[in-house]
Amino acid sequence: MPAMAQNTENKLDASMQNEVSVDEDVLALRAPLVLVRRDEQGEWIFEGPGEPPRPTVRTVLGAVVNAWPHVSALAELEPGASAIWSWDNHGWTSEFECTCGECEQPVAADLDRRTWPSELDPEDLVSVEETALSGQEVLTNILYTSGRIAMLGPGEQHRTSDQLASVAMANVIRRWPHAMRALRSVRSGYLLRWNPESLNWHEYEAI
């Protein structure tokens, strides 16, 4: 995992230098980050879908927040608790005690093509800045121009071709689950910018 960028926001109740465990498949971008646990001592564990135990790698919390901004919404996750990403509700949810016998427990799952939004083509190619894809920079900007979506880190909007990778829409959303709604709403000539304080996307007219 690359060193975290300096503009990482800390909303979690822990030092960004604290060591954490990350699922190897998540770290290698083979699986989405959809399960976050804290053990009884408060250590953070970040996982993809599938049955535990899973091979993990040690890194620091700041590197995870930098690469997967959606985990910043877990500021209230307490030691001994866990949170599961819900693709349907576009947010984190928790396991709960069902009293009616009809509730469906949330499950840490990969992107479900059955609930794929009709306005997005999973095979469409998106231009993604390499440094954002690798986690060296935070994903901050989504821009729709010249008939193609670009997902960029901080800085100028212009990028050269060698700075960009072509990634299928489905894999972009698996990489950044919090970007699904933004990708559904991005308009030509406008820029969506991630606000790390309010944890949402804001729209601006592209310059």
Side-chain angles (χ1 to χ4, degrees):
M1 171 69 70
M4 62 179 172
Q6 295 302 310
N7 58 353
T8 297
E9 296 285 336
N10 179 9
K11 286 188 168 290
L12 304 180
D13 183 23
S15 166
M16 291 291 97
Q17 297 303 321
N18 281 3
E19 285 199 357
V20 299
S21 296
V22 184
D23 184 329
E24 279 188 0
D25 283 343
V26 169
L27 197 62
L29 308 183
R30 293 189 294 264
L33 199 170
V34 291
L35 173 62
V36 180
R37 297 186 290 115
R38 296 187 73 186
D39 64 19
E40 296 298 334
Q41 288 71 48
E43 182 173 311
W44 295 81
I45 303 157
F46 300 93
E47 301 180 66
E51 293 296 323
R54 300 170 62 83
T56 60
V57 175
R58 301 287 289 175
T59 185
V60 295
L61 182 59
V64 174
V65 173
N66 196 63
W68 294 277
H70 66 309
V71 304
S72 294
L74 297 174
E76 297 181 4
L77 188 67
E78 298 179 351
S82 62
I84 295 168
W85 181 263
S86 169
W87 296 103
D88 288 338
N89 299 324
H90 192 75
W92 295 103
T93 187
S94 302
E95 296 179 341
F96 54 87
E97 184 176 349
C98 175
T99 57
C100 68
E102 298 180 359
C103 299
E104 186 175 340
Q105 284 287 352
V107 176
D110 205 338
L111 184 60
D112 188 349
R113 295 297 183 92
R114 293 173 300 177
T115 59
W116 185 266
S118 59
E119 61 268 40
L120 295 178
D121 184 341
E123 304 302 327
D124 270 357
L125 292 179
V126 178
S127 296
V128 182
E129 187 167 6
E130 292 272 12
T131 52
L133 188 63
S134 67
Q136 293 171 281
E137 294 280 358
V138 183
L139 173 68
T140 56
N141 299 316
I142 300 177
L143 178 66
Y144 183 29
T145 183
S146 302
R148 188 160 178 173
I149 294 174
M151 305 186 73
L152 311 172
E156 298 286 335
Q157 295 175 15
H158 176 72
R159 299 293 190 280
T160 58
S161 60
D162 63 313
Q163 294 175 296
L164 301 170
S166 293
V167 182
M169 180 72 73
N171 289 330
V172 167
I173 292 175
R174 291 173 78 238
R175 172 69 176 84
W176 291 291
H178 70 298
M180 179 186 278
R181 283 185 179 172
L183 289 166
R184 295 172 67 180
S185 65
V186 64
R187 299 185 293 162
S188 180
Y190 286 83
L191 170 75
L192 293 175
R193 179 166 292 146
W194 177 251
N195 186 318
E197 294 184 2
S198 57
L199 299 177
N200 57 17
W201 296 93
H202 289 186
E203 185 181 70
Y204 301 90
E205 190 169 359
I207 299 173

